[in-house]
Amino acid sequence: MESRGRVDGFYTLRSLRDRSRDRFHVAQLLQDETEHIKCFVEGKDLTCFWEERNNLHHQYTFTYSYENKNKMACAVSSLLASNKTIFFCKLPKTPFFTTLDVQVLRDGRMLYTRSLNAENFLFLDPPRNLTVMSSGKEGQLNVSWLPPPLKYMDDSMIYEVRYAVEGSNMGKVEVVKVSTMLVLLGLQSDTRYKVWVRVKPDGVAYKGYWSAWTEPVFGVTPPSDVDPLIVLLVLFIGLILCLLSLTVILSHHKFLLKKLWPDIPTPEHKFPGLFTVYKGDFKEWMSQNNGSMWGRSVHVYTEELPSLLEVLSEVSRTSHDTSQREEEEEKESESSDSGLTDRWRDPPHAHWLMEQLRALQENPESRCQSSLLQSHDTYVTLNQGDNEQQVDDVFEETLPLQTLFTTTGTSSLSTSHSDLGSLQQSSGSGRLSSQSSFEYPNHTWAPKGPGYAYMAVADSGVSMDYRPMSSSRIAELGRHRMYTNDYKNEICPHKWPLSGQYIKSGSESCTGPVW
Amino acid sequence: MSFFHLRLFALLLMVLEWTRPGLSSPLRPICDLRVLDHFIKEAWDAEAAMRACKDACSIATNFTAPLTRVDFDVWEAMNIEEQAQEVQSGLHVLNETISSLQASNQTDVLQSHIDASISNIASIRQVLRSLSIPEYVPPASGGEDKEMQNVSSISELFQVHINFLRGKVRLLLANAPVCHQGVS
């Protein structure tokens, strides 16, 4: 703002135009003032004013006194506003830190009165030389200004900085104490900002009103810039990570390859030349090799040790007198659990089996009653139906294969800690059923009929490759009364410890497999 | 809590001055006006508390209190010694008047404000001493050479107290020559 001179005619028309803005601004600021007489100090001069409706013409007198001493009069001036008149009086060189009593008399009669201390109503000039500069850092602006030229008050002022994006009405305000500079943080990059500042006494030694806002000053924030150091660091770290992962992959590439791209086992190495020379034509290959296939022992070894499979079966007493041969079979199987689970089917005959179990348990004639077999073992039981049904029942595709897993629990049919129970086949010759106590899980299978076969596979990790045989072959087998899963009838009531031994026993004595 | 620390600081200054052997070196000048501003804030609190109690705080006798009026032209025309004398005599009178209130029965809250004001005046004296401001000299003759005023209530007394600190005392401290030696 331009400097003020103490000129007579302070309120001449020319200066009134400039001052009226200040006065109206002050009047707006003092809207909250409840007193009729509103006073403020500019510099060292106290100005008091009051508003009146300009409908009547009255004679106003303004008197003041310090510390209850002699009253003095002040010349009243007026300012015409929109629908009101503002009367004011200025007291030059007002003493501070003392009580001032002012009165307004209208036509000789007391209208308003007020008692105040001048140092509590300071109305300062706005700050000077407001500058906004970019600090070079992203989203920051440096704002600095100079305080209004007042003695004794340099260190008792507080400032308010208002800033907003150009064109926007939403501004933020920051309060600054004593200091005459501020760094605005958190701004948008590459944006033009408007900044205003105003000042007020801090309220300790002097009190007052907020000054008018300065004229806005513009500043532009620097564009966002990626720190090259950060880019370099990111690249460097990325490179190191790549090298590390490459090293890990290369050192374990075999393992990873096996996991990600497992070899599909082919029997190619057992049939030399079958696929390469004869393009898979087995007949041709057979003729060339002239049946030497059967001469060789076909052992499909996998990397894992063969696990023992005990097949328990029992021919029904009612239908069979002949003993069944018990033959323990060494089965080699694939060891992957996933292969095992893939081949199992849902057992629909669990219910029938449960009935058999109950019947057997109630039957005291059975020799080896409810022997609790080792729960860690899983057992294969084959239950072959009658010969006529055997063909259909035993080797049907739909025959359920049921496993009782105890510890691994990989199969959907698995159960925990199930004991093998005894099972009694209902009827039919050639039926094999195990006799031991069973405890089925909740979702036990329901046998569909007397002609089912199921296998409970022993040992964790054993997968059974159960392939149905062709009908003709089955018939041939049936004729010769040969089936691969003859086993001893009785299962003795003792726990079978797990061991790796393989025992082939054909005797009828009560010897259980020794694992 | 900082008030307590300031009192402690002032006490420490006094102790250090006594125990220092040989030459009594001057105290380190306390030019920071925030020290005085702290006392002024406490005086504001006391004045507000006294203003709130009107009836309970009225006392029949009149008090003597210094004048607080500052005419800037007159003040700037005075030299440092005159200003110092005015401030020191005013502090002296205030101290005596407020101390006389300690004997009267007041509430605990008011009593604490009274005690705080007395200790603040003592601390301000220490600050003035650190700035090499001349001490209070009682008038040689029996009469008062400095004008005083009479106040009739405790609230008025504490108004005088706050106005005196904000005005004359602060102006004196702000213009202490010791603090402006490098500047002027």
Side-chain angles (χ1 to χ4, degrees), chain A residues 93 97 119-120 152 204-205, chain B residues 33 44 68 70 73 76 166:
Chain A
K93 299 215 173 83
F97 307 108
E119 72 277 2
N120 294 334
Y152 315 122
V204 178
Chain B
L33 282 172
W44 274 119
T68 57
V70 171
D73 292 344
E76 283 161 14
R166 291 161 69 199

Side-chain angles (χ1 to χ4, degrees), chain A residues 156-172:
Chain A
S156 52
M157 295 186 194
I158 58 172
Y159 303 93
E160 215 175 52
V161 177
R162 181 161 69 108
Y163 58 98
V165 178
E166 187 187 18
S168 161
N169 289 333
M170 300 273 294
K172 286 189 187 174

